[in-house]
PDB file of all heavy atoms in Angstrom:
ATOM      1  N   PHE A   1     -12.454   2.936   1.902  1.00  0.00           N
ATOM      2  CA  PHE A   1     -12.109   2.200   0.680  1.00  0.00           C
ATOM      3  C   PHE A   1     -10.679   1.672   0.763  1.00  0.00           C
ATOM      4  O   PHE A   1     -10.410   0.506   0.463  1.00  0.00           O
ATOM      5  CB  PHE A   1     -12.285   3.096  -0.542  1.00  0.00           C
ATOM      6  CG  PHE A   1     -11.689   2.518  -1.809  1.00  0.00           C
ATOM      7  CD1 PHE A   1     -12.360   1.541  -2.523  1.00  0.00           C
ATOM      8  CD2 PHE A   1     -10.447   2.947  -2.271  1.00  0.00           C
ATOM      9  CE1 PHE A   1     -11.805   0.992  -3.679  1.00  0.00           C
ATOM     10  CE2 PHE A   1      -9.882   2.398  -3.420  1.00  0.00           C
ATOM     11  CZ  PHE A   1     -10.573   1.425  -4.126  1.00  0.00           C
ATOM     12  N   TRP A   2      -9.751   2.531   1.173  1.00  0.00           N
ATOM     13  CA  TRP A   2      -8.344   2.114   1.262  1.00  0.00           C
ATOM     14  C   TRP A   2      -8.125   1.172   2.445  1.00  0.00           C
ATOM     15  O   TRP A   2      -7.317   0.233   2.349  1.00  0.00           O
ATOM     16  CB  TRP A   2      -7.444   3.341   1.381  1.00  0.00           C
ATOM     17  CG  TRP A   2      -7.483   4.207   0.160  1.00  0.00           C
ATOM     18  CD1 TRP A   2      -8.128   5.399   0.000  1.00  0.00           C
ATOM     19  CD2 TRP A   2      -6.885   3.914  -1.113  1.00  0.00           C
ATOM     20  NE1 TRP A   2      -7.961   5.869  -1.280  1.00  0.00           N
ATOM     21  CE2 TRP A   2      -7.200   4.977  -1.987  1.00  0.00           C
ATOM     22  CE3 TRP A   2      -6.112   2.870  -1.595  1.00  0.00           C
ATOM     23  CZ2 TRP A   2      -6.766   5.033  -3.306  1.00  0.00           C
ATOM     24  CZ3 TRP A   2      -5.667   2.902  -2.911  1.00  0.00           C
ATOM     25  CH2 TRP A   2      -5.990   3.968  -3.757  1.00  0.00           C
ATOM     26  N   ARG A   3      -8.839   1.400   3.528  1.00  0.00           N
ATOM     27  CA  ARG A   3      -8.704   0.520   4.700  1.00  0.00           C
ATOM     28  C   ARG A   3      -9.145  -0.912   4.365  1.00  0.00           C
ATOM     29  O   ARG A   3      -8.628  -1.880   4.934  1.00  0.00           O
ATOM     30  CB  ARG A   3      -9.542   1.084   5.861  1.00  0.00           C
ATOM     31  CG  ARG A   3      -9.685   0.178   7.078  1.00  0.00           C
ATOM     32  CD  ARG A   3      -8.351  -0.106   7.733  1.00  0.00           C
ATOM     33  NE  ARG A   3      -8.496  -0.988   8.880  1.00  0.00           N
ATOM     34  CZ  ARG A   3      -8.589  -2.306   8.804  1.00  0.00           C
ATOM     35  NH1 ARG A   3      -8.555  -2.924   7.616  1.00  0.00           N
ATOM     36  NH2 ARG A   3      -8.704  -3.032   9.916  1.00  0.00           N
ATOM     37  N   ASN A   4     -10.058  -1.057   3.427  1.00  0.00           N
ATOM     38  CA  ASN A   4     -10.573  -2.383   3.069  1.00  0.00           C
ATOM     39  C   ASN A   4      -9.746  -3.073   1.979  1.00  0.00           C
ATOM     40  O   ASN A   4     -10.176  -4.072   1.406  1.00  0.00           O
ATOM     41  CB  ASN A   4     -12.024  -2.264   2.592  1.00  0.00           C
ATOM     42  CG  ASN A   4     -12.962  -1.868   3.713  1.00  0.00           C
ATOM     43  OD1 ASN A   4     -12.657  -2.068   4.888  1.00  0.00           O
ATOM     44  ND2 ASN A   4     -14.103  -1.282   3.360  1.00  0.00           N
ATOM     45  N   THR A   5      -8.558  -2.556   1.697  1.00  0.00           N
ATOM     46  CA  THR A   5      -7.679  -3.143   0.685  1.00  0.00           C
ATOM     47  C   THR A   5      -7.356  -4.605   1.008  1.00  0.00           C
ATOM     48  O   THR A   5      -7.121  -4.962   2.163  1.00  0.00           O
ATOM     49  CB  THR A   5      -6.362  -2.335   0.595  1.00  0.00           C
ATOM     50  OG1 THR A   5      -6.667  -1.016   0.127  1.00  0.00           O
ATOM     51  CG2 THR A   5      -5.362  -2.977  -0.343  1.00  0.00           C
ATOM     52  N   ASP A   6      -7.335  -5.430  -0.010  1.00  0.00           N
ATOM     53  CA  ASP A   6      -6.935  -6.830   0.131  1.00  0.00           C
ATOM     54  C   ASP A   6      -5.483  -6.897   0.623  1.00  0.00           C
ATOM     55  O   ASP A   6      -4.634  -6.109   0.203  1.00  0.00           O
ATOM     56  CB  ASP A   6      -7.054  -7.517  -1.243  1.00  0.00           C
ATOM     57  CG  ASP A   6      -6.857  -9.022  -1.172  1.00  0.00           C
ATOM     58  OD1 ASP A   6      -5.727  -9.460  -0.871  1.00  0.00           O
ATOM     59  OD2 ASP A   6      -7.812  -9.756  -1.467  1.00  0.00           O
ATOM     60  N   ASP A   7      -5.204  -7.855   1.517  1.00  0.00           N
ATOM     61  CA  ASP A   7      -3.841  -8.012   2.056  1.00  0.00           C
ATOM     62  C   ASP A   7      -2.796  -8.038   0.945  1.00  0.00           C
ATOM     63  O   ASP A   7      -1.706  -7.480   1.081  1.00  0.00           O
ATOM     64  CB  ASP A   7      -3.727  -9.314   2.857  1.00  0.00           C
ATOM     65  CG  ASP A   7      -4.550  -9.303   4.131  1.00  0.00           C
ATOM     66  OD1 ASP A   7      -5.262  -8.299   4.378  1.00  0.00           O
ATOM     67  OD2 ASP A   7      -4.493 -10.297   4.880  1.00  0.00           O
ATOM     68  N   ARG A   8      -3.119  -8.697  -0.173  1.00  0.00           N
ATOM     69  CA  ARG A   8      -2.155  -8.892  -1.257  1.00  0.00           C
ATOM     70  C   ARG A   8      -1.838  -7.608  -2.008  1.00  0.00           C
ATOM     71  O   ARG A   8      -0.844  -7.541  -2.741  1.00  0.00           O
ATOM     72  CB  ARG A   8      -2.700  -9.940  -2.243  1.00  0.00           C
ATOM     73  CG  ARG A   8      -2.879 -11.328  -1.641  1.00  0.00           C
ATOM     74  CD  ARG A   8      -3.741 -12.213  -2.529  1.00  0.00           C
ATOM     75  NE  ARG A   8      -5.131 -11.770  -2.545  1.00  0.00           N
ATOM     76  CZ  ARG A   8      -6.088 -12.345  -3.281  1.00  0.00           C
ATOM     77  NH1 ARG A   8      -5.775 -13.358  -4.101  1.00  0.00           N
ATOM     78  NH2 ARG A   8      -7.331 -11.902  -3.218  1.00  0.00           N
ATOM     79  N   ASP A   9      -2.677  -6.582  -1.845  1.00  0.00           N
ATOM     80  CA  ASP A   9      -2.495  -5.337  -2.586  1.00  0.00           C
ATOM     81  C   ASP A   9      -1.802  -4.240  -1.789  1.00  0.00           C
ATOM     82  O   ASP A   9      -1.455  -3.197  -2.353  1.00  0.00           O
ATOM     83  CB  ASP A   9      -3.862  -4.797  -3.046  1.00  0.00           C
ATOM     84  CG  ASP A   9      -4.478  -5.623  -4.157  1.00  0.00           C
ATOM     85  OD1 ASP A   9      -3.720  -6.173  -4.975  1.00  0.00           O
ATOM     86  OD2 ASP A   9      -5.722  -5.712  -4.202  1.00  0.00           O
ATOM     87  N   VAL A  10      -1.605  -4.452  -0.500  1.00  0.00           N
ATOM     88  CA  VAL A  10      -1.158  -3.361   0.375  1.00  0.00           C
ATOM     89  C   VAL A  10       0.164  -2.761  -0.096  1.00  0.00           C
ATOM     90  O   VAL A  10       0.289  -1.539  -0.267  1.00  0.00           O
ATOM     91  CB  VAL A  10      -1.060  -3.834   1.836  1.00  0.00           C
ATOM     92  CG1 VAL A  10      -0.397  -2.769   2.701  1.00  0.00           C
ATOM     93  CG2 VAL A  10      -2.443  -4.148   2.377  1.00  0.00           C
ATOM     94  N   GLY A  11       1.183  -3.588  -0.309  1.00  0.00           N
ATOM     95  CA  GLY A  11       2.493  -3.074  -0.698  1.00  0.00           C
ATOM     96  C   GLY A  11       2.457  -2.333  -2.025  1.00  0.00           C
ATOM     97  O   GLY A  11       3.027  -1.242  -2.166  1.00  0.00           O
ATOM     98  N   ARG A  12       1.764  -2.916  -3.005  1.00  0.00           N
ATOM     99  CA  ARG A  12       1.683  -2.298  -4.333  1.00  0.00           C
ATOM    100  C   ARG A  12       0.974  -0.953  -4.272  1.00  0.00           C
ATOM    101  O   ARG A  12       1.406   0.028  -4.889  1.00  0.00           O
ATOM    102  CB  ARG A  12       0.940  -3.260  -5.277  1.00  0.00           C
ATOM    103  CG  ARG A  12       0.915  -2.838  -6.732  1.00  0.00           C
ATOM    104  CD  ARG A  12       0.538  -4.019  -7.602  1.00  0.00           C
ATOM    105  NE  ARG A  12      -0.745  -4.599  -7.207  1.00  0.00           N
ATOM    106  CZ  ARG A  12      -1.884  -4.420  -7.872  1.00  0.00           C
ATOM    107  NH1 ARG A  12      -1.891  -3.691  -8.973  1.00  0.00           N
ATOM    108  NH2 ARG A  12      -3.001  -4.977  -7.465  1.00  0.00           N
ATOM    109  N   PHE A  13      -0.116  -0.888  -3.521  1.00  0.00           N
ATOM    110  CA  PHE A  13      -0.874   0.357  -3.432  1.00  0.00           C
ATOM    111  C   PHE A  13      -0.119   1.425  -2.644  1.00  0.00           C
ATOM    112  O   PHE A  13      -0.242   2.619  -2.937  1.00  0.00           O
ATOM    113  CB  PHE A  13      -2.245   0.100  -2.814  1.00  0.00           C
ATOM    114  CG  PHE A  13      -3.210  -0.619  -3.730  1.00  0.00           C
ATOM    115  CD1 PHE A  13      -2.829  -1.020  -5.005  1.00  0.00           C
ATOM    116  CD2 PHE A  13      -4.502  -0.903  -3.306  1.00  0.00           C
ATOM    117  CE1 PHE A  13      -3.720  -1.685  -5.852  1.00  0.00           C
ATOM    118  CE2 PHE A  13      -5.400  -1.559  -4.146  1.00  0.00           C
ATOM    119  CZ  PHE A  13      -5.003  -1.961  -5.413  1.00  0.00           C
ATOM    120  N   LEU A  14       0.654   1.023  -1.645  1.00  0.00           N
ATOM    121  CA  LEU A  14       1.483   1.989  -0.924  1.00  0.00           C
ATOM    122  C   LEU A  14       2.500   2.636  -1.865  1.00  0.00           C
ATOM    123  O   LEU A  14       2.772   3.838  -1.782  1.00  0.00           O
ATOM    124  CB  LEU A  14       2.203   1.313   0.244  1.00  0.00           C
ATOM    125  CG  LEU A  14       1.366   1.038   1.498  1.00  0.00           C
ATOM    126  CD1 LEU A  14       2.096   0.071   2.423  1.00  0.00           C
ATOM    127  CD2 LEU A  14       1.046   2.336   2.248  1.00  0.00           C
ATOM    128  N   LYS A  15       3.062   1.843  -2.780  1.00  0.00           N
ATOM    129  CA  LYS A  15       4.030   2.390  -3.747  1.00  0.00           C
ATOM    130  C   LYS A  15       3.367   3.332  -4.739  1.00  0.00           C
ATOM    131  O   LYS A  15       3.897   4.396  -5.070  1.00  0.00           O
ATOM    132  CB  LYS A  15       4.705   1.250  -4.517  1.00  0.00           C
ATOM    133  CG  LYS A  15       5.668   0.420  -3.714  1.00  0.00           C
ATOM    134  CD  LYS A  15       6.236  -0.710  -4.570  1.00  0.00           C
ATOM    135  CE  LYS A  15       7.132  -1.621  -3.752  1.00  0.00           C
ATOM    136  NZ  LYS A  15       7.616  -2.786  -4.547  1.00  0.00           N
ATOM    137  N   LEU A  16       2.200   2.933  -5.217  1.00  0.00           N
ATOM    138  CA  LEU A  16       1.537   3.697  -6.266  1.00  0.00           C
ATOM    139  C   LEU A  16       0.827   4.938  -5.749  1.00  0.00           C
ATOM    140  O   LEU A  16       0.834   5.989  -6.411  1.00  0.00           O
ATOM    141  CB  LEU A  16       0.520   2.807  -6.990  1.00  0.00           C
ATOM    142  CG  LEU A  16       1.059   1.674  -7.851  1.00  0.00           C
ATOM    143  CD1 LEU A  16      -0.087   0.764  -8.299  1.00  0.00           C
ATOM    144  CD2 LEU A  16       1.799   2.206  -9.071  1.00  0.00           C
ATOM    145  N   PHE A  17       0.199   4.846  -4.594  1.00  0.00           N
ATOM    146  CA  PHE A  17      -0.764   5.867  -4.181  1.00  0.00           C
ATOM    147  C   PHE A  17      -0.386   6.656  -2.927  1.00  0.00           C
ATOM    148  O   PHE A  17      -1.201   7.420  -2.416  1.00  0.00           O
ATOM    149  CB  PHE A  17      -2.145   5.222  -3.994  1.00  0.00           C
ATOM    150  CG  PHE A  17      -2.643   4.521  -5.227  1.00  0.00           C
ATOM    151  CD1 PHE A  17      -2.867   3.150  -5.242  1.00  0.00           C
ATOM    152  CD2 PHE A  17      -2.866   5.231  -6.401  1.00  0.00           C
ATOM    153  CE1 PHE A  17      -3.319   2.500  -6.391  1.00  0.00           C
ATOM    154  CE2 PHE A  17      -3.319   4.593  -7.553  1.00  0.00           C
ATOM    155  CZ  PHE A  17      -3.543   3.234  -7.544  1.00  0.00           C
ATOM    156  N   THR A  18       0.844   6.467  -2.419  1.00  0.00           N
ATOM    157  CA  THR A  18       1.320   7.269  -1.291  1.00  0.00           C
ATOM    158  C   THR A  18       2.748   7.733  -1.586  1.00  0.00           C
ATOM    159  O   THR A  18       3.389   7.265  -2.521  1.00  0.00           O
ATOM    160  CB  THR A  18       1.319   6.484   0.046  1.00  0.00           C
ATOM    161  OG1 THR A  18       2.490   5.639   0.115  1.00  0.00           O
ATOM    162  CG2 THR A  18       0.061   5.640   0.196  1.00  0.00           C
ATOM    163  N   ASP A  19       3.240   8.630  -0.728  1.00  0.00           N
ATOM    164  CA  ASP A  19       4.615   9.115  -0.843  1.00  0.00           C
ATOM    165  C   ASP A  19       5.539   8.466   0.178  1.00  0.00           C
ATOM    166  O   ASP A  19       6.674   8.920   0.367  1.00  0.00           O
ATOM    167  CB  ASP A  19       4.654  10.636  -0.652  1.00  0.00           C
ATOM    168  CG  ASP A  19       4.136  11.398  -1.867  1.00  0.00           C
ATOM    169  OD1 ASP A  19       4.059  10.804  -2.961  1.00  0.00           O
ATOM    170  OD2 ASP A  19       3.794  12.591  -1.718  1.00  0.00           O
ATOM    171  N   LEU A  20       5.082   7.421   0.845  1.00  0.00           N
ATOM    172  CA  LEU A  20       5.938   6.764   1.834  1.00  0.00           C
ATOM    173  C   LEU A  20       7.220   6.249   1.181  1.00  0.00           C
ATOM    174  O   LEU A  20       7.197   5.752   0.050  1.00  0.00           O
ATOM    175  CB  LEU A  20       5.203   5.586   2.478  1.00  0.00           C
ATOM    176  CG  LEU A  20       4.136   5.891   3.534  1.00  0.00           C
ATOM    177  CD1 LEU A  20       3.557   4.587   4.061  1.00  0.00           C
ATOM    178  CD2 LEU A  20       4.701   6.710   4.675  1.00  0.00           C
ATOM    179  N   PRO A  21       8.360   6.334   1.889  1.00  0.00           N
ATOM    180  CA  PRO A  21       9.622   5.817   1.341  1.00  0.00           C
ATOM    181  C   PRO A  21       9.546   4.304   1.106  1.00  0.00           C
ATOM    182  O   PRO A  21       8.832   3.586   1.809  1.00  0.00           O
ATOM    183  CB  PRO A  21      10.654   6.149   2.430  1.00  0.00           C
ATOM    184  CG  PRO A  21      10.004   7.167   3.299  1.00  0.00           C
ATOM    185  CD  PRO A  21       8.530   6.945   3.212  1.00  0.00           C
ATOM    186  N   LEU A  22      10.316   3.833   0.133  1.00  0.00           N
ATOM    187  CA  LEU A  22      10.254   2.420  -0.245  1.00  0.00           C
ATOM    188  C   LEU A  22      10.698   1.493   0.887  1.00  0.00           C
ATOM    189  O   LEU A  22      10.160   0.381   1.022  1.00  0.00           O
ATOM    190  CB  LEU A  22      11.110   2.174  -1.494  1.00  0.00           C
ATOM    191  CG  LEU A  22      10.591   2.806  -2.784  1.00  0.00           C
ATOM    192  CD1 LEU A  22      11.569   2.558  -3.928  1.00  0.00           C
ATOM    193  CD2 LEU A  22       9.207   2.263  -3.139  1.00  0.00           C
ATOM    194  N   ASP A  23      11.669   1.917   1.706  1.00  0.00           N
ATOM    195  CA  ASP A  23      12.096   1.033   2.798  1.00  0.00           C
ATOM    196  C   ASP A  23      11.002   0.867   3.847  1.00  0.00           C
ATOM    197  O   ASP A  23      10.813  -0.222   4.411  1.00  0.00           O
ATOM    198  CB  ASP A  23      13.399   1.532   3.440  1.00  0.00           C
ATOM    199  CG  ASP A  23      13.324   2.971   3.931  1.00  0.00           C
ATOM    200  OD1 ASP A  23      12.300   3.643   3.670  1.00  0.00           O
ATOM    201  OD2 ASP A  23      14.292   3.425   4.576  1.00  0.00           O
ATOM    202  N   GLU A  24      10.226   1.937   4.088  1.00  0.00           N
ATOM    203  CA  GLU A  24       9.099   1.840   5.012  1.00  0.00           C
ATOM    204  C   GLU A  24       8.002   0.958   4.428  1.00  0.00           C
ATOM    205  O   GLU A  24       7.369   0.165   5.136  1.00  0.00           O
ATOM    206  CB  GLU A  24       8.557   3.230   5.332  1.00  0.00           C
ATOM    207  CG  GLU A  24       7.290   3.273   6.178  1.00  0.00           C
ATOM    208  CD  GLU A  24       7.456   2.720   7.592  1.00  0.00           C
ATOM    209  OE1 GLU A  24       8.588   2.368   7.984  1.00  0.00           O
ATOM    210  OE2 GLU A  24       6.439   2.634   8.303  1.00  0.00           O
ATOM    211  N   ILE A  25       7.781   1.065   3.129  1.00  0.00           N
ATOM    212  CA  ILE A  25       6.781   0.227   2.463  1.00  0.00           C
ATOM    213  C   ILE A  25       7.190  -1.242   2.544  1.00  0.00           C
ATOM    214  O   ILE A  25       6.358  -2.119   2.799  1.00  0.00           O
ATOM    215  CB  ILE A  25       6.588   0.670   0.996  1.00  0.00           C
ATOM    216  CG1 ILE A  25       5.921   2.051   0.954  1.00  0.00           C
ATOM    217  CG2 ILE A  25       5.744  -0.351   0.221  1.00  0.00           C
ATOM    218  CD1 ILE A  25       5.850   2.664  -0.435  1.00  0.00           C
ATOM    219  N   ALA A  26       8.475  -1.525   2.358  1.00  0.00           N
ATOM    220  CA  ALA A  26       8.963  -2.908   2.443  1.00  0.00           C
ATOM    221  C   ALA A  26       8.703  -3.487   3.832  1.00  0.00           C
ATOM    222  O   ALA A  26       8.320  -4.653   3.977  1.00  0.00           O
ATOM    223  CB  ALA A  26      10.456  -2.953   2.119  1.00  0.00           C
ATOM    224  N   ARG A  27       8.891  -2.654   4.856  1.00  0.00           N
ATOM    225  CA  ARG A  27       8.624  -3.108   6.231  1.00  0.00           C
ATOM    226  C   ARG A  27       7.143  -3.404   6.424  1.00  0.00           C
ATOM    227  O   ARG A  27       6.768  -4.435   7.000  1.00  0.00           O
ATOM    228  CB  ARG A  27       9.076  -2.034   7.226  1.00  0.00           C
ATOM    229  CG  ARG A  27       8.907  -2.439   8.684  1.00  0.00           C
ATOM    230  CD  ARG A  27       9.157  -1.286   9.638  1.00  0.00           C
ATOM    231  NE  ARG A  27       8.092  -0.290   9.603  1.00  0.00           N
ATOM    232  CZ  ARG A  27       6.931  -0.423  10.244  1.00  0.00           C
ATOM    233  NH1 ARG A  27       6.659  -1.525  10.942  1.00  0.00           N
ATOM    234  NH2 ARG A  27       6.014   0.526  10.183  1.00  0.00           N
TER     235      ARG A  27
END
């Protein structure tokens, strides 16, 4: 389900649904 995320949603979902640091998410 998560692997099939729309390209446009990847950054937003990484912020909301993971603990990855924001600088890594920006990359």
Side-chain angles (χ1 to χ4, degrees):
F1 168 79
W2 295 104
R3 171 62 181 82
N4 292 338
T5 295
D6 188 293
D7 293 3
R8 297 165 291 178
D9 289 328
V10 171
R12 187 163 57 104
F13 287 1
L14 283 166
K15 289 178 184 176
L16 291 171
F17 303 117
T18 80
D19 285 342
L20 284 181
L22 292 177
D23 55 353
E24 174 64 5
I25 292 172
R27 183 189 72 80

